Short mmCIF file of all heavy atoms in Angstrom, two decimals:
data_model
loop_
_atom_site.label_atom_id
_atom_site.label_comp_id
_atom_site.label_asym_id
_atom_site.label_seq_id
_atom_site.Cartn_x
_atom_site.Cartn_y
_atom_site.Cartn_z
N SER A 55 28.54 2.47 -24.22
CA SER A 55 27.71 1.64 -23.35
C SER A 55 26.30 1.52 -23.93
O SER A 55 25.78 2.45 -24.55
CB SER A 55 27.65 2.27 -21.96
OG SER A 55 26.68 1.64 -21.16
N GLU A 56 25.69 0.36 -23.75
CA GLU A 56 24.31 0.18 -24.21
C GLU A 56 23.35 1.04 -23.40
O GLU A 56 22.32 1.48 -23.89
CB GLU A 56 23.91 -1.30 -24.08
CG GLU A 56 24.65 -2.21 -25.06
CD GLU A 56 24.16 -3.64 -24.96
OE1 GLU A 56 23.18 -3.88 -24.23
OE2 GLU A 56 24.76 -4.51 -25.62
N ASN A 57 23.69 1.29 -22.15
CA ASN A 57 22.87 2.15 -21.31
C ASN A 57 23.44 3.56 -21.33
O ASN A 57 24.48 3.84 -20.75
CB ASN A 57 22.86 1.61 -19.87
CG ASN A 57 22.00 2.46 -18.95
OD1 ASN A 57 21.29 3.36 -19.39
ND2 ASN A 57 22.07 2.17 -17.66
N THR A 58 22.76 4.47 -22.03
CA THR A 58 23.23 5.85 -22.15
C THR A 58 22.47 6.79 -21.21
O THR A 58 22.47 8.00 -21.41
CB THR A 58 23.09 6.34 -23.60
OG1 THR A 58 21.70 6.25 -23.99
CG2 THR A 58 23.94 5.51 -24.55
N GLY A 59 21.85 6.23 -20.21
CA GLY A 59 21.06 7.03 -19.28
C GLY A 59 21.89 8.05 -18.52
O GLY A 59 21.38 9.11 -18.14
N ARG A 60 23.17 7.74 -18.27
CA ARG A 60 24.03 8.67 -17.53
C ARG A 60 24.83 9.56 -18.47
O ARG A 60 25.58 10.43 -18.02
CB ARG A 60 24.98 7.90 -16.61
CG ARG A 60 24.30 7.11 -15.51
CD ARG A 60 25.31 6.50 -14.55
NE ARG A 60 26.08 7.52 -13.86
CZ ARG A 60 27.38 7.71 -14.05
NH1 ARG A 60 28.05 7.00 -14.94
NH2 ARG A 60 28.03 8.66 -13.38
N TYR A 61 24.70 9.35 -19.78
CA TYR A 61 25.44 10.17 -20.73
C TYR A 61 24.97 11.63 -20.66
O TYR A 61 23.82 11.91 -20.32
CB TYR A 61 25.27 9.64 -22.15
CG TYR A 61 26.24 8.53 -22.49
CD1 TYR A 61 26.49 7.49 -21.60
CD2 TYR A 61 26.91 8.51 -23.71
CE1 TYR A 61 27.37 6.48 -21.90
CE2 TYR A 61 27.80 7.50 -24.03
CZ TYR A 61 28.03 6.48 -23.12
OH TYR A 61 28.91 5.49 -23.42
N LYS A 62 25.87 12.54 -20.99
CA LYS A 62 25.56 13.97 -20.95
C LYS A 62 25.11 14.45 -22.32
O LYS A 62 25.57 13.98 -23.35
CB LYS A 62 26.78 14.76 -20.50
CG LYS A 62 27.21 14.46 -19.07
CD LYS A 62 28.43 15.27 -18.69
CE LYS A 62 28.85 14.97 -17.26
NZ LYS A 62 30.08 15.72 -16.87
N ILE A 63 24.22 15.43 -22.31
CA ILE A 63 23.76 16.05 -23.56
C ILE A 63 24.66 17.24 -23.86
O ILE A 63 24.94 18.06 -22.99
CB ILE A 63 22.30 16.51 -23.44
CG1 ILE A 63 21.36 15.31 -23.34
CG2 ILE A 63 21.90 17.40 -24.62
CD1 ILE A 63 19.90 15.67 -23.14
N VAL A 64 25.14 17.30 -25.09
CA VAL A 64 25.90 18.46 -25.56
C VAL A 64 25.16 19.04 -26.75
O VAL A 64 24.75 18.30 -27.66
CB VAL A 64 27.36 18.08 -25.91
CG1 VAL A 64 27.42 16.98 -26.94
CG2 VAL A 64 28.14 19.30 -26.39
N LYS A 65 24.93 20.35 -26.74
CA LYS A 65 24.18 21.01 -27.80
C LYS A 65 25.11 21.80 -28.71
O LYS A 65 26.26 22.09 -28.35
CB LYS A 65 23.13 21.94 -27.19
CG LYS A 65 22.08 21.21 -26.34
CD LYS A 65 21.07 22.18 -25.76
CE LYS A 65 20.03 21.46 -24.90
NZ LYS A 65 19.04 22.40 -24.31
N ARG A 66 24.60 22.13 -29.88
CA ARG A 66 25.38 22.89 -30.85
C ARG A 66 25.98 24.14 -30.19
O ARG A 66 25.30 24.90 -29.52
CB ARG A 66 24.51 23.30 -32.04
CG ARG A 66 25.29 24.03 -33.15
CD ARG A 66 24.35 24.50 -34.24
NE ARG A 66 23.75 23.39 -34.96
CZ ARG A 66 24.30 22.79 -36.03
NH1 ARG A 66 25.46 23.21 -36.49
NH2 ARG A 66 23.65 21.80 -36.62
N GLY A 67 27.29 24.33 -30.39
CA GLY A 67 27.98 25.48 -29.82
C GLY A 67 28.57 25.25 -28.45
O GLY A 67 29.41 26.03 -27.99
N GLN A 68 28.15 24.16 -27.78
CA GLN A 68 28.71 23.86 -26.45
C GLN A 68 30.00 23.07 -26.59
O GLN A 68 30.22 22.34 -27.56
CB GLN A 68 27.70 23.07 -25.62
CG GLN A 68 26.48 23.89 -25.21
CD GLN A 68 25.50 23.09 -24.37
OE1 GLN A 68 25.48 21.86 -24.41
NE2 GLN A 68 24.66 23.81 -23.62
N PHE A 69 30.85 23.21 -25.57
CA PHE A 69 32.15 22.54 -25.54
C PHE A 69 32.09 21.27 -24.70
O PHE A 69 31.25 21.15 -23.80
CB PHE A 69 33.21 23.47 -24.93
CG PHE A 69 33.63 24.60 -25.82
CD1 PHE A 69 32.82 25.73 -25.96
CD2 PHE A 69 34.83 24.56 -26.51
CE1 PHE A 69 33.21 26.78 -26.77
CE2 PHE A 69 35.23 25.61 -27.32
CZ PHE A 69 34.42 26.72 -27.46
#
Side-chain angles (χ1 to χ4, degrees):
S55 170
E56 291 184 7
N57 181 8
T58 59
R60 296 186 63 248
Y61 275 44
K62 295 179 180 178
I63 292 177
V64 56
K65 298 180 180 179
R66 184 185 293 272
Q68 291 180 338
F69 287 78

